C-alpha cells in the first residue's frame, strides 16, 4: 500500500478516535497497533461511542457482530482496528478512483 494512502487512512481515523499525530517512522502496522490500543480502551470504557463511530464509518453490522462475537477475547481490539482501518482505506481508494474519472 502506498505511504500516502496509509497517511490518508490514519488521518480519517484520527478525527474520530483522537489519535496522536503521525510520526516520522509511521507505517501501517504501527498505526494499527496504536489504533488497537484506543479500540481496547473504548471497548472497556466507551462502548456506545465506539459503536456510534463504527456505524458512522459504515463498518457493517454483520462484520462488527462477527468481530465482537467470534474473535478471541485478546484479538477483538486488533481485529476491529484492522476492519475499521480497511474500511476507511477502501473509502479513500473509491474517492480517488471516482475523482480520477471526472
Amino acid at each position: 500500500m502506498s505511504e500516502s494512502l496509509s497517511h490518508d487512512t490514519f488521518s480519517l481515523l484520527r478525527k474520530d478516535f483522537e489519535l496522536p499525530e503521525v510520526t516520522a517512522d509511521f507505517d501501517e502496522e504501527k498505526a494499527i497497533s496504536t489504533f488497537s490500543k484506543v479500540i481496547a480502551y473504548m471497548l472497556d470504557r466507551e462502548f456506545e461511542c465506539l459503536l456510534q463511530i463504527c456505524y458512522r464509518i459504515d463498518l457493517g453490522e454483520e462484520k462488527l457482530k462477527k468481530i465482537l462475537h467470534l474473535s478471541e477475547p485478546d484479538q477483538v481490539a486488533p481485529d476491529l482496528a484492522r476492519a475499521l482501518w480497511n474500511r476507511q482505506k477502501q473509502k479513500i481508494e473509491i474517492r480517488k478512483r471516482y475523482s480520477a474519472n471526472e
Side-chain angles (χ1 to χ4, degrees):
M1 170 179 10
S2 76
E3 190 172 322
S4 172
L5 184 55
S6 290
H7 276 277
D8 291 347
T9 303
F10 189 80
S11 293
L12 271 182
L13 290 167
R14 197 169 161 257
K15 293 175 200 169
D16 285 317
F17 291 96
E18 300 174 12
L19 299 171
E21 289 286 336
V22 174
T23 59
D25 61 343
F26 174 87
D27 69 32
E28 183 174 343
E29 291 308 312
K30 286 180 186 174
I32 292 171
S33 175
T34 298
F35 187 37
S36 292
K37 293 173 186 153
V38 174
I39 296 293
Y41 173 85
M42 292 184 81
L43 282 166
D44 287 340
R45 294 179 183 83
E46 298 177 12
F47 189 67
E48 283 299 317
C49 181
L50 177 61
L51 292 180
Q52 290 172 358
I53 294 170
C54 289
Y55 178 76
R56 190 168 58 241
I57 288 175
D58 192 29
L59 179 60
E61 190 175 343
E62 289 303 312
K63 183 170 282 206
L64 178 60
K65 283 181 181 179
K66 183 178 178 183
I67 292 168
L68 292 175
H69 297 293
L70 299 178
S71 291
E72 293 296 322
D74 62 336
Q75 280 301 114
V76 172
D79 289 352
L80 188 52
R82 173 123 2 236
L84 288 165
W85 179 272
N86 289 334
R87 178 63 184 125
Q88 292 296 65
K89 183 170 68 173
Q90 180 185 40
K91 285 184 190 177
I92 292 167
E93 290 169 335
I94 289 168
R95 285 184 197 138
K96 285 183 179 180
R97 198 173 316 135
Y98 280 104
S99 67
N101 290 337
E102 291 178 8

